[in-house]
Amino acid sequence: MPRRIHRPLALGCYLMEQICIIDFGEPFQSLLPLASIGIPEDYLSPEVILEGGASIRLASDLWALGCTLYEISHQKPLFYVINDRDELLAEIVGFFGKLLDKWWGKWEARAEFFDENRKSIRFGGEHEVYTLDIALNHKLEDFEVGSEDKKVLVIPEEEQRLLKDLLIKLFTYTLGNRLGVTEVVQHD
């Protein structure tokens, strides 16, 4: 039995120190992608949101893996309290910059969130965009099993740096530049 159980507030379940990631959706042959898959909404990559089922491939699962790795390390989803896909895209742009031109042009609701320079126009333009750096600096509360005591855990700076490097490489918009499975496993 692990000494600690981390309670992710958003999930309402418990994650133990030994975690096995099993699946991100539904199996399919990569040459015959499905029209839709079971990837949770807040794990969807921009290409799946804007291009639909025809864009589902291994790169989509690698994007979902990045979301999962963040959630495991920080005990909350990277993109949360999201009401619809347009809000999710706005969060993604806030974290990783303007979408590729082909996607930026397809995103009909972008003008509700950003001007053409990616400056947020929500809340009168005074709203600061939530960034990956801000998310990575989130502190965790740790509860001992059977105890009321809690501790605030800070992820070491080097671990944050490595996670940020991995996430940036998993969340790149250019699909051919997104890390592959072997590169993820071999990442420092």
Side-chain angles (χ1 to χ4, degrees):
M1 178 81 169
R3 284 187 26 240
R4 292 183 170 88
I5 296 177
H6 303 284
R7 183 179 177 279
L9 301 174
L11 295 179
C13 64
Y14 293 93
L15 296 176
M16 297 184 171
E17 289 179 7
Q18 296 178 350
I19 298 170
C20 180
I21 300 171
I22 3 178
D23 186 34
F24 295 113
E26 299 174 21
F28 63 90
Q29 292 181 346
S30 59
L31 297 176
L32 303 168
L34 300 172
S36 67
I37 58 174
I39 297 176
E41 285 279 316
D42 54 349
Y43 282 37
L44 291 175
S45 59
E47 66 270 13
V48 173
I49 295 170
L50 292 165
E51 295 178 359
S55 66
I56 296 170
R57 54 183 58 96
L58 180 59
S60 307
D61 272 349
L62 291 166
W63 181 281
L65 175 63
C67 293
T68 301
L69 293 173
Y70 176 86
E71 187 166 345
I72 288 169
S73 68
H74 285 75
Q75 301 300 293
K76 70 176 190 175
L78 183 58
F79 308 111
Y80 65 100
V81 193
I82 305 295
N83 295 319
D84 60 36
R85 289 181 175 196
D86 289 317
E87 285 189 11
L88 176 56
L89 283 171
E91 287 288 306
I92 290 170
V93 170
F95 273 65
F96 306 112
K98 184 178 173 183
L99 298 170
L100 299 175
D101 288 339
K102 67 179 182 176
W103 295 338
W104 190 253
K106 284 184 180 181
W107 184 23
E108 294 175 6
R110 72 181 182 276
E112 295 174 29
F113 301 93
F114 298 97
D115 65 18
E116 288 301 317
N117 296 317
R118 194 188 76 100
K119 183 177 178 192
S120 176
I121 59 172
R122 298 186 85 185
F123 310 108
E126 297 173 12
H127 176 66
E128 183 180 346
V129 176
Y130 189 61
T131 66
L132 183 60
D133 287 322
I134 292 170
L136 288 170
N137 285 312
H138 171 74
K139 294 175 178 49
L140 303 174
E141 290 185 351
D142 184 46
F143 299 86
E144 291 286 335
V145 175
S147 171
E148 298 282 328
D149 295 333
K150 65 179 174 181
K151 300 173 187 171
V152 176
L153 301 177
V154 178
I155 297 173
E157 202 171 299
E158 178 64 9
E159 189 175 326
Q160 282 189 34
R161 186 191 66 74
L162 288 171
L163 180 59
K164 179 180 179 181
D165 181 68
L166 177 60
L167 293 178
I168 287 171
K169 292 173 180 175
L170 284 171
F171 292 133
T172 184
Y173 297 143
T174 306
L175 302 184
N177 292 343
R178 202 171 288 167
L179 286 184
V181 174
T182 302
E183 297 164 308
V184 170
V185 171
Q186 294 175 351
H187 190 272
D188 289 336

